[in-house]
Amino acid sequence: MHATTRGRLRAMALGLLGSAPEAERAVRTTERALASYGPVQRARRGPGPVPDPGPPPEAVLARVCLGRLRAREARRTDPWDPWADAPDAPGLTPAERLVLVLHDLHGVPYETLATVLERAPAAVRQIGARARARVRGAEEMPAPDPVRLRAAVDAVLTAAREGDTAALRALLDPDAVLRADRGAVRGGVRPAHGAPAVARVLAARAAAARPALVDGAPALVAAPDAVYVFTAPAGPITSIDVLADPPHVSRHAITT
């Protein structure tokens, strides 16, 4: 791999993973994957079918880093503090971080990221818009459609009461994240990442919840005083924040 390309990939990996050793390991994994296509295969000339040159290096690196980000979220067990999040990436999902760093900072086309995320390019653009709004600040997040959000929250409650994890998964983005603050963790709510894991938590914990409004938006409240706040900007639910610490809950206007 040319030194310039390697340096660019390392900068991308560092932006995604936030650790120089992790970034270096991701680049080495990318190099091994690209080597499987081989320089002879890439340079072949003459008659006959042209060998597949393989995906672009940026796409391979993106897959490697996305896997590491998802694994990191899946292992996360520490309580979440919504007012002490990292300033550069407040509550971003792995997919949001991928699009924000690779497209916005390094110019990787949406079409390339669409193949990595297995989404349509238009959906990847929406992911990017959502990530930018989060970084700019919650006050700039687009206002949710209350009718559509209420339908989604009601569907979650119905599926949770029926123990229907398949229906819950269908309501969630594949990269959905469930975050829990210290009070929620003490109450038995575990952080989760990915639609299957989040669906299992909802099936186990949200069945006894009741509909509510949190700051005017449809939500759920479950005993003892746990609030489930949903984000679904344009389609499936992308994140659920479970708050039970009194200082966190008191910051919101809750109507039941």
Side-chain angles (χ1 to χ4, degrees):
M1 179 184 294
H2 193 278
T4 301
T5 301
R6 195 181 198 284
R8 183 167 182 260
L9 293 180
R10 193 177 188 283
M12 292 178 182
L14 184 59
L16 286 168
L17 302 174
S19 160
E22 273 196 275
E24 181 61 28
R25 288 193 291 270
V27 172
R28 289 178 182 174
T29 301
T30 300
E31 287 177 317
R32 289 194 295 270
L34 290 170
S36 67
Y37 291 92
V40 174
Q41 193 177 42
R42 288 174 179 271
R44 180 178 171 182
R45 296 290 186 271
V50 177
D52 179 5
E58 296 83 0
V60 178
L61 179 83
R63 288 185 190 279
V64 171
C65 291
L66 182 63
R68 291 171 185 261
L69 290 171
R70 286 173 170 168
R72 186 186 293 175
E73 284 292 337
R75 292 192 302 267
R76 188 184 299 275
T77 58
D78 52 309
W80 171 69
D81 185 341
W83 286 277
D85 229 335
D88 64 325
L92 294 182
T93 68
E96 288 170 346
R97 182 184 287 271
L98 191 82
V99 177
L100 188 71
V101 171
L102 295 191
H103 177 271
D104 288 21
L105 300 184
H106 294 281
V108 178
Y110 284 122
E111 291 74 16
T112 299
L113 298 178
T115 64
V116 174
L117 293 170
E118 299 180 347
R119 315 278 184 93
V124 176
R125 289 187 176 88
Q126 290 180 346
I127 292 171
R130 189 167 70 231
R132 289 179 211 105
R134 288 190 189 280
V135 170
R136 286 195 299 266
E139 70 277 3
E140 296 190 29
M141 286 288 286
D145 178 346
V147 174
R148 185 172 53 77
L149 185 57
R150 169 51 67 200
V153 172
D154 287 348
V156 166
L157 185 56
T158 298
R161 287 174 173 173
E162 295 175 354
D164 190 344
T165 55
L168 287 167
R169 286 198 303 271
L171 296 166
L172 298 167
D173 186 90
D175 259 326
V177 174
L178 185 143
R179 296 177 287 250
D181 71 5
R182 191 172 300 277
V185 170
R186 282 197 301 266
V189 179
R190 308 304 299 174
H193 169 255
V198 174
R200 288 193 294 271
V201 174
L202 291 173
R205 307 297 307 185
R210 61 190 186 276
L213 294 177
V214 174
D215 298 330
L220 295 175
V221 173
D225 301 322
V227 178
Y228 289 68
V229 180
F230 295 79
T231 301
I237 295 165
T238 59
S239 67
I240 303 166
D241 298 332
V242 187
L243 308 176
D245 268 355
H248 294 165
V249 175
S250 65
R251 291 180 181 232
H252 299 279
I254 301 171
T255 306
T256 59

